[in-house]
Amino acid sequence: MTNPTRSRSTLEVIQAIRDGSTCAILVEGEEKASDAWMLRHILKDKISQEITFHGRDGRSNLLAELPTFIDQLPTGKVAAIVDRDFTGDDEVERTYSTDYSGHVFYWRRYCIENYLLEPELVSRCVNMAHSQHPESVPPALSTTETVEKYLLEWCKRLAPQVAGNWSIHELTQETDKQGLNVEARSYFKDVTDRDSAWVLSELTRKYAGWSKEYPTLFGENSLRSRFTDKLKQVSEKVETLSGAHQVVDGKRFLKPALNRLLPSSLRPYFFSLLAELASQDPPLDIRALVEERILPRWRRARAE
């Protein structure tokens, strides 16, 4: 994958888009890496001549910049696709509707990396990499079925941390909405077993300083209730891999879990190989947003 480089300023990117003849899609991550790189690679044989992808760092920065892009560029010239994270089903699905007129679209999976962590892609990639020595293929990654089993087992082991991250996400949204000066706990990202009691104790410890002032948000009982509710929802999702992909962070959790079984020589190139395989038959959600929602809008606007 291309090494990260300095992101161009908002005005620099606007000028580049204005000077070009393509539809611009803003995504999370670095300018020449992460989401932008993956999308360019996956769609290289489809619509690469009509679209440019621009990484604008994290979601908050992208969304803060977007109104400026919209104001200064022609209608239909720019759109944004952001990670689902813990966005609700209704809000996500609304952006796939044919009558949706907004500029922000969501992946149906937690993040774009989740689209590359398909069992069939992973097993094909691993077997190709070991084609000269097939006996070296890790058994857990040898077939579509074993990869799915391995990923699902990890999703279930990680459920408490995922529920903890969902709780942190909601608390951050609510404190921002209320204008409260509360420092959020960093997301959990330990690719190891952390049980519910440990995650809840970490949440309680982190937010204890605000529990008396804001008991409905940070009181021990409130935190326990929120976390228990999220754990129930996560546990239901991770019964299937399709459900798990909606709530389990592929970049933070599943990629490191896979790396445990990959030889060190393959790890730096593994996602590049997955993206190459995915380009042969791009994931349906990627095609739906880019080819069926965003691009037709730009073509119509250009024809007017």
Side-chain angles (χ1 to χ4, degrees), residues 47-48 76 116 120 125 145-146 181 228 304:
I47 50 175
S48 58
L116 297 184
E120 192 268 339
C125 184
E145 292 74 23
T146 59
N181 186 23
T228 301
E304 292 176 354

Side-chain angles (χ1 to χ4, degrees), residues 34-51:
S34 193
D35 293 21
W37 178 90
M38 280 186 273
L39 285 164
R40 292 185 195 113
H41 207 74
I42 292 170
L43 296 173
K44 63 181 180 179
D45 297 325
K46 305 295 180 183
I47 50 175
S48 58
Q49 302 305 310
E50 293 185 279
I51 286 182

Side-chain angles (χ1 to χ4, degrees), residues 214-226:
Y214 309 112
T216 57
L217 288 177
F218 305 114
E220 186 173 345
N221 290 336
S222 297
L223 288 173
R224 180 183 296 108
S225 176
R226 185 187 299 272

Side-chain angles (χ1 to χ4, degrees), residues 2-288:
T2 308
N3 291 328
T5 59
R6 178 191 71 84
S7 292
R8 291 179 291 176
S9 70
T10 304
L11 293 181
E12 286 175 323
V13 177
I14 287 174
Q15 188 59 52
I17 295 172
R18 187 182 288 124
D19 292 342
S21 59
T22 61
C23 172
I25 299 180
L26 310 181
V27 295
E28 298 185 50
E30 301 289 344
E31 177 68 19
K32 294 184 178 180
S34 193
D35 293 21
W37 178 90
M38 280 186 273
L39 285 164
R40 292 185 195 113
H41 207 74
I42 292 170
L43 296 173
K44 63 181 180 179
D45 297 325
K46 305 295 180 183
I47 50 175
S48 58
Q49 302 305 310
E50 293 185 279
I51 286 182
T52 53
F53 297 99
H54 303 270
R56 303 308 301 157
D57 297 323
R59 178 195 288 204
S60 58
N61 183 71
L62 188 160
L63 295 180
E65 290 183 334
L66 185 57
T68 303
F69 279 91
I70 295 171
D71 289 343
Q72 297 196 27
L73 291 170
T75 300
K77 185 75 170 176
V78 66
I81 305 177
V82 298
D83 292 345
R84 178 194 182 112
D85 294 343
F86 295 107
T87 306
D89 291 342
D90 290 345
E91 186 172 354
V92 170
E93 290 304 316
R94 185 168 60 96
T95 69
Y96 286 78
S97 171
T98 55
D99 59 359
Y100 176 66
S101 60
H103 291 82
V104 179
F105 297 79
Y106 293 92
W107 300 123
R108 283 189 171 116
R109 297 190 176 187
Y110 190 93
C111 61
I112 193 171
E113 283 81 0
N114 289 79
Y115 287 103
L116 297 184
L117 294 169
E118 272 295 311
E120 192 268 339
L121 286 178
V122 172
S123 63
R124 280 178 61 197
C125 184
V126 172
N127 281 286
M128 286 171 57
H130 290 83
S131 60
Q132 299 301 314
H133 301 282
E135 71 280 359
S136 299
V137 175
L141 304 182
S142 61
T143 69
T144 298
E145 292 74 23
T146 59
V147 173
E148 180 168 357
K149 179 181 178 182
Y150 179 75
L151 291 176
L152 263 180
E153 286 175 349
W154 266 111
C155 289
K156 292 175 181 179
R157 292 169 66 179
L158 294 164
Q161 292 188 72
V162 174
N165 288 345
W166 198 343
S167 300
I168 293 167
H169 174 80
E170 277 196 351
L171 288 168
T172 301
Q173 285 190 319
E174 293 181 27
T175 54
D176 287 348
K177 190 180 300 183
Q178 297 182 38
L180 306 180
N181 186 23
V182 175
E183 180 185 1
R185 190 202 187 281
S186 58
Y187 273 2
F188 297 99
K189 57 181 180 181
D190 297 335
V191 185
T192 186
D193 290 311
R194 297 291 192 184
D195 63 20
S196 302
W198 182 86
V199 174
L200 183 56
S201 70
E202 285 293 300
L203 290 174
T204 304
R205 181 181 62 80
K206 172 61 184 180
Y207 292 112
W210 294 282
S211 62
K212 290 185 179 180
E213 191 170 0
Y214 309 112
T216 57
L217 288 177
F218 305 114
E220 186 173 345
N221 290 336
S222 297
L223 288 173
R224 180 183 296 108
S225 176
R226 185 187 299 272
F227 172 72
T228 301
D229 175 64
K230 298 309 172 195
L231 182 58
K232 181 177 182 295
Q233 293 185 60
V234 171
S235 297
E236 292 172 351
K237 288 285 190 182
V238 299
E239 285 301 311
T240 63
L241 190 57
S242 60
H245 273 311
Q246 295 178 7
V247 294
V248 180
D249 188 334
K251 181 189 297 184
R252 182 177 283 114
F253 287 130
L254 297 183
K255 183 179 178 182
L258 280 175
N259 280 342
R260 293 185 170 204
L261 300 183
L262 297 176
S264 57
S265 59
L266 180 58
R267 292 171 195 167
Y269 312 105
F270 191 60
F271 260 64
S272 296
L273 295 174
L274 288 175
E276 180 65 33
L277 288 178
S279 70
Q280 298 172 14
D281 186 18
L284 292 178
D285 289 348
I286 292 178
R287 298 190 66 173

